[in-house]
Amino acid sequence: MLTTKQNVLRRFWYAVMALEDLKDGPKPFRLLGEDIVLFLAKDGKPAALKDRCCHRTSKLSKGWINDGQIVCGYHGWTYDRTGKLVHVPQFPVQQEVPNLSTPAYHCEARYGYAWVALDEPLAPILDAEEEHDPSYRRIPQFYEVWNTSAFRLMENSFDNAHFSFVHRGTFGDTAQPTPKRYEIKETDYGFYAASLVDIVNPPAAQRVTGTTDPATTRDMRNQWYFPFSRRLDITYPSGLQHIIINCATPIDDSHIQLMQLLYRNDTESDCPAQALIDWDAAVIEEDRAMLEATDPDAPLDTTKHAEAQMPSDRPGQIMRRRLLEFLHAHGEAEVTRQYV
Ligand SMILES: [Fe+2]
């Protein structure tokens, strides 16, 4: 599937940028191949517009913010959060501002990020109740560009067969390549997949897992939120909870902005945030290296046999089927280079 060629994917929320990064002015982002600009509007909430002035097409992200409105750096034309042109500095005060605008997108603040849907959203942003529970802390872990597609990242997140190989340098056990099975329940928003995984527990992992045992288990409850978000609840036998939320935000067909945040029910003195970032960084770096070595155009229709399959691929197969059915239900055929 070529992500940007499937129009209905514009109707979902994607985590686009940290709110913190908008404090010093407007910032550009490319979402599903579309150039957008983000800024903090008058109400302090994020806004997203097409990154193009309706005067001479210049990028609004090259401009600045004046009283919560975005000023084009070329001629000073000014827009509000709805994209409406509100000021043309070249006109005398008594002259009416022409009725022009640049397209605006759905934009909401959640979990420290601005989330954007290019067209009318079909589903809400996934809910994390830990955000409102003082026994949890939220740690922003990653915000980085990967040279892969959103589907590859999502599928990999539910693939228990890659741990022993890709993660042999961190928690994978090469002596146990037989993957644990997921119990999968399909939901309206995607699916819920549970499994208990054996892991090695080297000294570097011990504050993360909350035990000094040389091996331990991860009780994983992993949820796919259609199309490219995921919530992974990991519980260790120590009672520690490690809850990862990530969004594989599609920049274009072969690049994603990977946003990942973490909730933990421990404290900075139990395990410093930086240690938790460093630990998961080593793990996702292993994933990145492998995913960037795959073809980003992942075929959804498995009946065409463009890729081989094995039983442990079931979560990915369900994702492919659900996405394909969804495209068809919205009158779209899969666009891919894979079936020739
Ligand atoms: Fe992985």
Side-chain angles (χ1 to χ4, degrees):
M1 173 179 66
L2 296 173
T3 318
T4 66
K5 300 287 191 286
Q6 314 288 175
N7 270 331
V8 72
L9 295 178
R10 295 167 56 93
R11 300 188 62 184
F12 291 92
W13 291 103
Y14 302 104
V16 157
M17 197 168 294
L19 297 172
E20 198 60 32
D21 292 343
L22 296 175
K23 288 195 171 149
D24 60 347
K27 296 282 154 61
F29 192 85
R30 181 168 293 163
L31 180 60
L32 286 163
E34 190 133 330
D35 287 326
I36 67 177
V37 57
L38 288 111
F39 64 100
L40 294 178
K42 263 189 179 146
D43 53 8
K45 293 178 178 160
L49 305 178
K50 192 178 181 78
D51 197 6
R52 185 178 162 105
C53 180
C54 54
H55 176 228
R56 286 295 175 270
T57 76
S58 45
K59 288 195 185 307
L60 295 171
S61 54
K62 297 272 185 209
W64 56 87
I65 302 305
N66 182 12
D67 194 23
Q69 297 177 327
I70 187 163
V71 181
C72 180
Y74 199 178
H75 299 89
W77 287 33
T78 304
Y79 301 83
D80 68 12
R81 65 166 304 135
T82 70
K84 187 177 165 34
L85 180 65
V86 290
H87 182 58
V88 176
Q90 290 76 17
F91 287 4
V93 238
Q94 62 275 27
Q95 189 173 337
E96 215 175 295
V97 175
N99 185 20
L100 293 172
S101 48
T102 191
Y105 308 104
H106 302 266
C107 187
E108 267 187 33
R110 195 73 66 84
Y111 316 133
Y113 285 83
W115 295 65
V116 174
L118 293 176
D119 291 327
E120 190 61 33
L122 287 168
I125 299 170
L126 68 90
D127 206 27
E129 61 217 35
E130 290 74 15
E131 183 71 18
H132 312 289
D133 182 338
S135 55
Y136 290 88
R137 53 182 171 141
R138 172 180 13 108
I139 300 163
Q141 279 188 301
F142 308 112
Y143 178 75
E144 46 190 62
V145 176
W146 287 18
N147 302 326
T148 187
S149 61
F151 183 85
R152 288 284 185 213
L153 190 282
M154 274 299 114
E155 180 176 63
N156 179 71
S157 305
F158 295 89
D159 174 7
N160 277 351
H162 81 281
F163 299 156
S164 305
F165 297 89
V166 173
H167 300 301
R168 60 191 181 278
T170 49
F171 68 90
D173 186 350
T174 42
Q176 297 198 39
T178 313
K180 282 279 168 9
R181 257 185 76 80
Y182 267 127
E183 296 302 324
I184 300 177
K185 257 194 305 201
E186 290 197 48
T187 58
D188 55 347
Y189 59 82
F191 60 64
Y192 173 95
S195 76
L196 192 67
V197 178
D198 298 310
I199 56 164
V200 294
N201 191 40
Q206 291 173 358
R207 281 188 305 180
V208 177
T209 59
T211 174
T212 53
D213 296 347
T216 186
T217 57
R218 280 178 152 187
D219 178 4
M220 311 215 306
R221 282 146 296 139
N222 207 353
Q223 294 177 81
W224 173 46
Y225 287 83
F226 196 95
F228 304 134
S229 292
R230 173 212 22 180
R231 174 187 165 115
L232 169 61
D233 287 58
I234 297 172
T235 307
Y236 293 106
S238 62
L240 263 178
Q241 281 186 285
H242 189 98
I243 302 166
I244 285 171
I245 288 177
N246 58 28
C247 182
T249 298
I251 294 173
D252 56 28
D253 292 329
S254 53
H255 297 87
I256 60 169
Q257 186 78 46
L258 176 67
M259 184 286 289
Q260 181 164 313
L261 52 92
L262 170 68
Y263 291 97
R264 294 266 299 191
N265 61 343
D266 62 353
T267 63
E268 185 69 19
S269 59
D270 294 325
C271 188
Q274 194 58 51
L276 291 161
I277 292 169
D278 294 345
W279 173 252
D280 278 329
V283 175
I284 73 159
E285 180 56 23
E286 291 171 328
D287 287 309
R288 187 191 60 75
M290 192 51 64
L291 290 178
E292 290 191 345
T294 65
D295 184 341
D297 183 8
L300 298 184
D301 188 347
T302 52
T303 67
K304 310 268 207 233
H305 303 292
E307 291 182 358
Q309 306 288 332
M310 60 179 168
S312 60
D313 294 327
R314 196 162 149 258
Q317 290 160 351
I318 295 173
M319 293 170 85
R320 288 169 200 243
R321 171 177 57 73
R322 287 282 295 267
L323 270 158
L324 193 61
E325 287 171 358
F326 178 78
L327 293 181
H328 292 165
H330 285 82
E332 291 183 32
E334 181 190 6
V335 181
T336 172
R337 299 186 199 93
Q338 300 298 327
Y339 320 135
V340 281

